[in-house]
Amino acid sequence: MKTAKESVTELELMVLDRLSKDGFKKKKKNQFIRLVDECVQDITLLEYKTRSKDEVNIMANYSFTYDNIEKCISYIQGKKYDKVWSTGTSTLCNVFNEKEYINFYINGDTDVEPLADVIIKSIKKFAYSFWEKCNTYDKFRTELFDKNTEVRWNMVLCNNEAWNKIALSLIYNDGCVDKIIGYYKDKLEDTACVVFSECVPRIERLREAFEHGTGFKLLEEYRKFGIRE
């Protein structure tokens, strides 16, 4: 008889086999990623062991990441850059009931193939369509500034809308940073573990760097050496 752990491993292999046809590779045991230009797209199967039972609860998240946006935000906030941060993330809904999330319990007797089918169909309906809206800087910027509800909601779960807009405005050097700060000032000042008044000089340094074409160089130096005040 199989164990729940063995059934989970079987499920992961089935999901990976089907996702690999679209360019996904395994990053960790339960995490699959692909790179579309500079956009890292990610599927993670979340596994929670049930107490006192040989049973595992399975859920799933999908996300996308732009490293330079995350470097920009962490630089401004004075935080060490962490490559595990996502630009946007969401919990995967069930394709057969969009009001519910993927949420399965697996044990050694579970036939995992139908579950793999549901997960893949749900990924293709929800995650793929979401990624398509955000798989380039231009698309992401348009969706975010045009106030696409789905895209803005996903910002709540990572760095929020205001910080992403500041980062994109700096990267594009579009002259809108002050307007964004003015509009979101209260939210920026309420960001946990961030003193916004200390962020302002860093924003100015980045603004100047991007104006002179050295913004990405500054972010790469920050990734390697940290912030040099």
Side-chain angles (χ1 to χ4, degrees), residues 169-180:
S169 184
L170 288 168
I171 289 170
Y172 275 81
N173 191 26
D174 61 11
C176 294
V177 172
D178 292 336
K179 182 178 179 181
I180 294 167

Side-chain angles (χ1 to χ4, degrees), residues 58-72:
I58 299 290
M59 299 181 72
N61 281 353
Y62 57 95
S63 64
F64 71 96
T65 305
Y66 285 102
D67 285 341
N68 280 324
I69 290 177
E70 298 311 309
K71 290 175 189 174
C72 194

Side-chain angles (χ1 to χ4, degrees), residues 86-185:
S86 297
T87 304
T89 189
S90 186
T91 304
L92 185 65
C93 289
N94 191 321
V95 69
F96 295 113
N97 187 345
E98 298 183 15
K99 295 182 180 180
E100 294 183 357
Y101 296 126
I102 290 290
N103 190 358
F104 301 128
Y105 286 88
I106 293 178
N107 58 41
D109 294 325
T110 303
D111 180 1
V112 298
E113 187 167 3
L115 303 186
D117 289 340
V118 173
I119 290 171
I120 292 298
K121 288 177 181 178
S122 299
I123 289 171
K124 291 193 172 184
K125 178 168 183 178
F126 300 113
Y128 280 37
S129 63
F130 178 68
W131 288 329
E132 179 61 29
K133 298 172 184 175
C134 302
N135 61 11
T136 69
Y137 277 107
D138 286 346
K139 285 183 180 181
F140 177 43
R141 181 170 178 254
T142 297
E143 294 289 336
L144 190 60
F145 279 82
D146 285 352
K147 299 186 177 181
N148 178 287
T149 302
E150 182 184 12
V151 172
R152 292 175 70 200
W153 172 244
N154 278 268
M155 297 304 100
V156 173
L157 302 176
C158 303
N159 293 304
N160 68 28
E161 179 182 353
W163 293 104
N164 276 276
K165 284 186 174 181
I166 290 173
L168 283 165
S169 184
L170 288 168
I171 289 170
Y172 275 81
N173 191 26
D174 61 11
C176 294
V177 172
D178 292 336
K179 182 178 179 181
I180 294 167
I181 291 173
Y183 186 81
Y184 291 101
K185 195 169 189 296

